[in-house]
Amino acid sequence: MIPQHQSKGKPRTFDREAVLKKALGVFWKRGYEPASIAELCEAMEINPPSVYAAFGNKAQLFMEAVNHYENVYWNDAWDRLEDEPDVRKAMAGFFRDAAVILTSQDAPCGCMVVLGAANVSKDSQDVNDALKALREEGKECFLVRLKRGVADGEFSEGIDVDTLASTLNTMFHGMSIQARDGVSHEELERVAAVAMTLIPPAPARAKRHSA
């Protein structure tokens, strides 16, 4: 994993979040490998020594920008997935949220965690590994929520939650790619609706209980 850089030297004179947003825009348009420090410095409006002092190297800057993206745009959606007591409402809500976020004018279209590794060479394997770990966190969130649904009696016995979590995560990643290709919010909503058909219906007992 890429260690977080500990800033040294004089106190910063710039807004770290604003600078990270600008860096995120460069990485989004150019990709990790093609984006140069010179381009990043120009967009961030700070000089190379300040970049290195504040963020370490390009890999650390990239991962901090990705984490900033996750915190700003995705944390609430993942929290709602966990907090909603009904597993089907939780999953449907997350995929609706994803359709909104992935096509938002305020955020880069598509998910940086999914698409960020597109231009990462083998020489930057640490970046690839860090992004892979973040993608696996998404699958784990789906899996944990599905297992909770099993424990709550919302599924019939024998459901393969591992495969279902993997499939839902794959569909989520596919939505990210489609968003990057310019697919509309309405189209992603339809994909989200299809994703929900993969979740088995509640057992008859649970239906009677909730009636």
Side-chain angles (χ1 to χ4, degrees):
M1 296 296 290
I2 299 172
Q4 184 174 358
H5 177 68
Q6 300 298 320
S7 300
K8 298 178 181 179
K10 297 180 180 179
R12 297 189 302 272
T13 58
F14 56 82
D15 183 327
R16 195 177 188 90
E17 288 193 2
V19 164
L20 284 170
K21 186 174 182 179
K22 292 174 181 178
L24 183 65
V26 174
F27 284 126
W28 185 255
K29 293 176 183 177
R30 297 281 288 143
Y32 172 74
E33 293 285 357
S36 68
I37 288 293
E39 287 176 296
L40 290 162
C41 288
E42 182 178 0
M44 298 161 72
E45 299 179 334
I46 56 179
N47 58 38
S50 295
V51 171
Y52 290 120
F55 300 102
N57 54 35
K58 188 170 80 167
Q60 290 171 313
L61 170 61
F62 175 71
M63 288 311 305
E64 188 166 341
V66 168
N67 286 325
H68 174 71
Y69 169 79
E70 283 285 293
N71 292 336
V72 170
Y73 296 106
W74 289 100
N75 275 8
D76 287 347
W78 289 114
D79 286 345
R80 284 190 288 271
L81 175 70
E82 181 180 351
D83 293 341
E84 167 56 52
D86 183 290
V87 66
R88 290 167 186 80
K89 290 180 180 179
M91 290 295 180
F94 177 83
F95 275 85
R96 284 196 301 269
D97 284 343
V100 172
I101 296 167
L102 292 171
T103 55
S104 171
Q105 296 300 309
D106 297 327
C109 55
C111 178
M112 276 295 290
V113 174
V114 175
L115 302 173
N119 290 305
V120 181
S121 70
K122 292 182 179 179
D123 293 334
S124 300
Q125 188 59 40
D126 52 349
V127 173
N128 267 320
D129 290 344
L131 289 172
K132 180 180 178 181
L134 285 173
R135 290 193 296 272
E136 287 297 314
E137 283 183 14
K139 177 184 173 182
E140 183 64 20
C141 286
F142 288 138
L143 182 59
V144 168
R145 188 62 192 85
L146 290 169
K147 285 183 175 179
R148 198 171 105 206
V150 171
D152 291 343
E154 295 186 275
F155 294 114
S156 299
E157 293 183 6
I159 179 176
D160 184 351
V161 290
D162 292 280
T163 299
L164 181 54
S166 180
T167 302
L168 291 171
N169 201 44
T170 299
M171 292 195 73
F172 171 46
H173 291 176
M175 289 172 67
S176 298
I177 295 169
Q178 285 188 308
R180 181 61 184 263
D181 288 344
V183 168
S184 69
H185 169 258
E186 290 74 19
E187 179 64 23
L188 289 190
E189 283 271 16
R190 289 191 285 271
V191 173
V194 171
M196 291 308 95
T197 67
L198 300 174
I199 299 179
R205 180 184 51 176
K207 289 180 179 179
R208 288 196 299 270
H209 178 73
S210 62

